[in-house]
Amino acid sequence: MAALASISLLGGCGLLSGGGSQAQQEITVGTTSEPSTLDPAASWDGSWELYRNVFQTLVAFPTGSSAPQPDAAQSCEFQDKSSRTFTCTLRKGMTFSDGATLDANAVKYSIDRIVKINVKAGPKGLLSSLDHVSVDNDLTVTFHLNKPDATFPYVLGAPAMSIVDPKAYPADRLRDDGGLTGSGPYTLDSYKAGDRAVLKKNDSYQGFAQPKNDGVTIRYFRDSKTMVDALKNKQIDVTYRGITADEVEDVRNEKAAGKPLELVENTGSEIRFLVFNPKDPEAANPAVRRAVAQLVDRDALVAKVYKGTAEPLYSMVPTGVNGHTTSFFDTFGSPSVDKAKQILRKAGITGPVPLTFWYTTDRYGSSMAAEFQELKRQLDASGLFRITLDSRPWKTYTEGFQAGEFPVFGRGWFPDFPDPDNFIAPFVGKENAVGTPYEPREITTQLIPQSREISDRGAASKQFERAQDILVDDVRLLPLWQGKLYIAASDDIAGGERAMDPQTVMQMWELHRKTSW
């Protein structure tokens, strides 16, 4: 039977907590993850945080779901056993925030423009199995795939597949007027880059979300300390993304001392890894990459920088996701200067290898600088490397790695959907999410296609285990750690434990004041 052969309409009623009246209330959320763009056709990054709350996708991931459920769609299903024809029927009477009709033509338009605009390192990479989209009638749209792909419904749940108003978004270029037109639980009332996004409850929204507040202001902070200070001073109600291990401990201690704070810990599937650029003569050498892999001490990195808020990661597929292995540990074992020296000497390298490691200053939290200082310390201490560190803000950082400017650079990854495919497929191929072409033929032509024919996703482990062995041999990607996710909030805020979807995207509508609901 095809994967997700049928997705039926998600039902159920919202539950009120606290017994109070449904009073007008708004929440202010702080984050260090500012959108890089307001146009879904351009983004394969943390901009999805905003998109999930102001746009709709055909299907999405409600809290607690491991498979996509209908949102803009009334129902979706594969039409064939080979998982190549996927049809969705939309809800009736849907509109965008500007009053325009949301119908099957708008869905086709939204997907087609992602492919046509084809932003470098953008979301087109998620649509590699899509051949074309057809409109059957006003409410029915069909996706015709060029190969079996049991993960395609999961792809449609990614915020990059947000449905946009054809009248407001050009077909062949990105929207650049600073506006946003969606159909999600909120409308974008105002937006100031680097400062805040003001969201208002969308009374015409139809979908699975049941907003428990009347609006959310998202404030964007450049550093987490300022953000946590704002929480303590009641300038914001909730923090999400980017608080450091020291700040997590600080909030814990303040809560224990009776301060009005709460801390919600979530099992995370965020991963952090290094990318080696084959355009750089040093990073292109497999011996150099393998020597780095032999030297990196993940335990020390996690202990010194993340203090229990992260765990060492030895494969690109994290713990808790089907297909996870410990391939890097199985191959390299514990960190060893002697083994790394042997790797380099065998390749004829005798002097310290100069490499520049790049990181971003404002995407993954304030710990990035400390993380890369620790990596530099470890590699320099071996005497085998001479590491230089450099950094940029995210917007220019993305331009740099997409242009091939960085020899080695750090990336974080929050899953598009909860499947092992999404921790391997996005990073391989000519066009991929890290902007450096990487085409291991066995993975791209055999293992991924084979796995996508398997409707029972739990039975695809064999392919992903083999793929990770190949990644270890190449060391083009070096996994470092897997993080936990923390929401710090004032103690009068509820819903934090339900606000994280399986893509680790904040569902703002779950947040509410305890006295108001």
Side-chain angles (χ1 to χ4, degrees), residues 35 89 91 256 265 324 363 422 440:
T89 301
R91 299 173 188 261
E265 179 180 305
H324 168 73
R363 170 59 58 175
N422 194 237

Side-chain angles (χ1 to χ4, degrees), residues 61 65-68 154 269 320-322 415-423 457 501-503:
F61 295 87
S65 67
S66 58
Y154 293 77
S269 51
V321 176
N322 177 48
D416 305 323
F417 49 85
D419 188 276
D421 183 281
N422 194 237
F423 291 93
R457 301 308 296 157
D501 75 359
Q503 299 160 303

